[in-house]
């Protein structure tokens, strides 16, 4: 696939992910271009940003707005304060929440968002928790494409713990051949637009209603890029999608 700046450079020949991915994968697999039906069903799974915190009403959050931008349906599963290691305010950690998902749902796309909530949890067990959660999501919806949406900065400059989470998720996604979208690496939130996107007062550093609309538009545009990605074949040559 097209390797975005937030994904490590691929090897010349795609290879399988290492058996012990939790130990720190270095190999990457080129993901295939994103293919979605005309009116996709998208499960958006994440934390308070996915919940819609600080929007006038949660249903004005980015995950809900994404439905119209993709001309489809979004199923929103966001729990405030939740992370891969950290339990949330009104629900458990990611792994436990994935175990409780409706197995009858058949999403075309799963977006796993976040999370900055693991900043204080440290590195011990983090990659193992991520891999276990992702294994469970892939097993629950084996026909779905999974895209990982990394943490977005709630404050600037980006903290070291948030940057570490972003780097870990990027590397782990690359080892699986999954697309990874990094709002940090792509500068979605900058000093110039920070106060337009983030409600620093009543929203307690969550996106405002306008901020959620902006994030939905950025995410939809990023997904469109993944649809247009050329295919990388063994040996490093590329073929472009049919026009």
């Amino acid at each position: 696939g097209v390797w975005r700046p937030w994904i490590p450079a691929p090897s010349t020949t795609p290879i399988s992910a290492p058996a012990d991915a939790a130990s720190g994968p270095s190999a990457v697999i080129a993901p295939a271009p994103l293919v979605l039906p005309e009116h996709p069903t998208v499960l958006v799974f994440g934390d308070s940003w996915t919940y819609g915190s600080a929007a006038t009403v949660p249903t004005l959050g980015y995950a809900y707005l994404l439905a119209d931008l993709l001309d489809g349906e979004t199923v929103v599963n966001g729990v405030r304060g939740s992370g891969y290691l950290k339990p949330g305010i009104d629900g458990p950690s990611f792994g436990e929440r994935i175990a409780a998902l409706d197995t009858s749902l058949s999403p075309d796309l799963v977006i796993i968002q976040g999370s900055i909530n693991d900043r204080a949890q440290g590195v011990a067990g983090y990659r193992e928790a991520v891999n276990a959660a992702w294994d469970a999501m892939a097993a629950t919806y084996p026909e779905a494409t999974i895209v990982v949406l990394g943490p977005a900065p709630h404050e600037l400059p980006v903290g070291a713990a948030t940057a570490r989470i972003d780097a870990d998720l990027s590397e782990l996604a690359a080892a699986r051949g999954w697309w990874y979208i990094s709002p940090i690496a792509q500068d979605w939130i900058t000093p110039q637009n920070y106060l337009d996107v983030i409600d620093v007062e009543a929203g307690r550093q969550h996106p405002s209603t306008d901020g959620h609309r902006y994030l939905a538009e950025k995410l939809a545009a990023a997904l469109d890029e993944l649809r247009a990605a050329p295919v990388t074949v063994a040996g490093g040559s590329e073929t472009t999608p049919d026009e």
Side-chain angles (χ1 to χ4, degrees):
V2 167
W3 291 93
R4 308 301 180 193
W6 58 89
I7 298 179
S11 58
T12 55
T13 303
I15 62 175
S16 299
D20 185 13
S23 65
S26 56
V28 295
I29 305 169
L34 177 64
V35 177
L36 295 176
E38 187 174 357
H39 305 291
T41 297
V42 183
L43 170 62
V44 188
F45 180 96
D47 57 25
S48 56
W49 291 49
T50 294
Y51 174 87
S53 289
T56 305
V57 293
T59 51
L60 290 178
Y62 87 90
Y64 294 92
L65 301 180
L66 185 65
D68 285 344
L69 296 175
L70 297 181
D71 194 18
E73 175 187 4
T74 53
V75 178
V76 180
N77 190 311
V79 169
R80 296 171 294 173
S82 183
Y84 288 98
L85 292 174
K86 184 179 179 296
I89 296 172
D90 33 27
S93 62
F94 279 19
E96 292 179 72
R97 290 170 52 204
I98 291 170
L101 288 172
D102 181 2
T103 57
S104 67
L105 180 68
S106 299
D108 303 296
L109 172 66
V110 174
I111 298 172
I112 307 178
Q113 173 266 327
S115 171
I116 61 174
N117 294 321
D118 289 313
R119 300 189 312 284
Q121 309 307 114
V123 299
Y126 180 74
R127 285 181 171 235
E128 291 83 355
V130 171
N131 274 314
W134 290 358
D135 286 345
M137 186 69 84
T140 302
Y141 304 119
E143 301 302 317
T145 298
I146 298 177
V147 172
V148 181
L149 174 61
H154 67 300
E155 59 185 8
L156 296 175
V158 176
T162 300
R164 187 265 303 169
I165 288 170
D166 183 55
D168 281 349
L169 294 177
S170 175
E171 187 174 345
L172 292 172
R176 292 171 178 258
W178 289 2
W179 287 111
Y180 183 75
I181 300 171
S182 173
I184 293 174
Q186 290 299 291
D187 291 326
W188 287 11
I189 301 175
T190 67
Q192 290 71 37
N193 71 3
Y194 178 79
L195 292 178
D196 295 324
V197 178
I198 302 298
D199 185 338
V200 298
E201 296 178 355
R204 297 183 180 180
Q205 295 181 307
H206 286 87
S208 62
T209 298
D210 288 342
H212 275 287
R213 164 61 65 179
Y214 168 77
L215 293 173
E217 292 171 350
K218 294 294 286 185
L219 177 54
L223 293 173
D224 280 343
E225 286 190 20
L226 304 189
R227 293 190 194 195
V231 178
T232 298
V233 298
S237 60
E238 295 183 352
T239 58
T240 55
D242 294 336
E243 295 181 353

